Amino acid sequence: MHTSTKHDMAEGLVDGAGNNPTGIYGWRKRCLYLLVLLLLVIILVNLGLTIWIMVVLDFNIHGIGDLRITGNGLRLEGRAEFVDTLYAEKISSEVNSSLNLMSQRSLQLTAG
């Protein structure tokens, strides 16, 4: 049976009852520090990748790259490629400018 000494109590190794040590010691403490370090690394990698994606896609407060958000909807300045079906209420070009629609397979315009 271990009796607590003044030295043990001064270092906080023994609780008020004098029987059980308080705190985390040994391998548990190392595992806790390793877990905190691992979480910190994951957070930093996540933030770095998020910032990288925002820079590559040219995110800003007005839109993404050439795609701008306006009060009337979206405005695309430049070229765009749509992988699947495009649904829009209105597609128009600027005044005195042509609107080009190209397709590798078939182009179907439906009004209804």
Side-chain angles (χ1 to χ4, degrees), residues 72 86-92 110-112:
N72 297 329
L86 170 66
Y87 296 99
E89 184 177 317
K90 177 183 172 183
I91 299 175
S92 62
T110 306

Side-chain angles (χ1 to χ4, degrees), residues 20-33:
N20 299 323
T22 58
I24 300 174
Y25 301 102
W27 66 270
R28 291 179 187 95
K29 187 182 235 182
R30 285 192 297 268
C31 287
L32 183 63
Y33 283 140

Side-chain angles (χ1 to χ4, degrees), residues 15 19 41 58 62-63 72 87 95 101 109:
D15 65 3
N19 295 330
V41 168
D58 192 23
H62 302 292
N72 297 329
Y87 296 99
V95 178
L101 300 174
L109 299 175

Side-chain angles (χ1 to χ4, degrees), residues 5 11 32-33 42 44 47 56 63 71 78 91 93 99:
T5 63
E11 290 183 359
L32 183 63
Y33 283 140
I42 290 172
L44 290 175
L47 284 174
V56 167
I91 299 175
S93 65
L99 176 65

Side-chain angles (χ1 to χ4, degrees), residues 8 23 33 38-39 48 59 68-69 73 83-84 87 91 93 97 107:
D8 289 341
Y33 283 140
L38 181 66
L39 286 174
F59 274 93
R68 302 283 180 237
I69 301 170
V83 178
D84 204 4
Y87 296 99
I91 299 175
S93 65
S97 177
L107 180 65

Side-chain angles (χ1 to χ4, degrees), residues 5-81:
T5 63
K6 288 182 183 179
H7 180 68
D8 289 341
M9 294 182 99
E11 290 183 359
L13 298 176
V14 181
D15 65 3
N19 295 330
N20 299 323
T22 58
I24 300 174
Y25 301 102
W27 66 270
R28 291 179 187 95
K29 187 182 235 182
R30 285 192 297 268
C31 287
L32 183 63
Y33 283 140
L34 182 66
L35 179 66
V36 169
L37 182 65
L38 181 66
L39 286 174
L40 183 65
V41 168
I42 290 172
I43 289 170
L44 290 175
V45 168
N46 191 6
L47 284 174
L49 289 174
T50 302
I51 291 171
W52 177 73
I53 288 172
M54 290 178 70
V55 167
V56 167
L57 293 179
D58 192 23
F59 274 93
N60 56 43
I61 59 172
H62 302 292
I64 304 170
D66 292 334
L67 187 65
R68 302 283 180 237
I69 301 170
T70 64
N72 297 329
L74 299 175
R75 177 185 175 104
L76 178 65
E77 299 171 354
R79 300 183 75 152
E81 180 178 337

